[in-house]
Amino acid sequence: MQTLAHFGDSGPGPWILFFPVLWALLIGGGIALLRRTVWRSHRGGSWRRPAVGNDSPIAVLGHRFASGEIDEDEYWRRLSVLNEEFGRTAKGGGA
């Protein structure tokens, strides 16, 4: 009688690999899910951090512009210098 575990008379067939592969995929998927949700929130994952910190030069420049200390022309001029220095390419990247 031919079953899934015995492929003819030559021993186990290709089905013998199905369950170890299935378990590996289930365990790997569970670990990946935990890393993306639970474990990252405990470490303060990168998706929770703001793109620009409150003490960064770009944020300080934005606060100065918002409070009226500098005008729009000076804001864009200084922002372009900061973008060159910090490697940002978008015109409004620091806003």
Side-chain angles (χ1 to χ4, degrees), residues 26-43:
L26 285 174
I27 292 171
I31 290 173
L33 182 66
L34 287 173
R35 287 187 69 192
R36 292 184 61 89
T37 58
V38 177
W39 294 340
R40 182 172 285 185
S41 65
H42 289 303
R43 290 185 292 147

Side-chain angles (χ1 to χ4, degrees), residues 4-40:
L4 291 178
H6 293 284
F7 192 69
D9 291 334
S10 62
W15 288 100
I16 196 141
L17 298 175
F18 177 73
F19 288 107
V21 169
L22 179 68
W23 279 109
L25 288 174
L26 285 174
I27 292 171
I31 290 173
L33 182 66
L34 287 173
R35 287 187 69 192
R36 292 184 61 89
T37 58
V38 177
W39 294 340
R40 182 172 285 185

Side-chain angles (χ1 to χ4, degrees), residues 57-71 74-75 78:
I58 295 175
V60 172
L61 181 65
H63 290 299
R64 289 186 64 199
F65 176 64
S67 67
E69 292 180 40
I70 58 175
D71 62 353
E74 187 174 354
Y75 171 77
R78 290 184 182 203

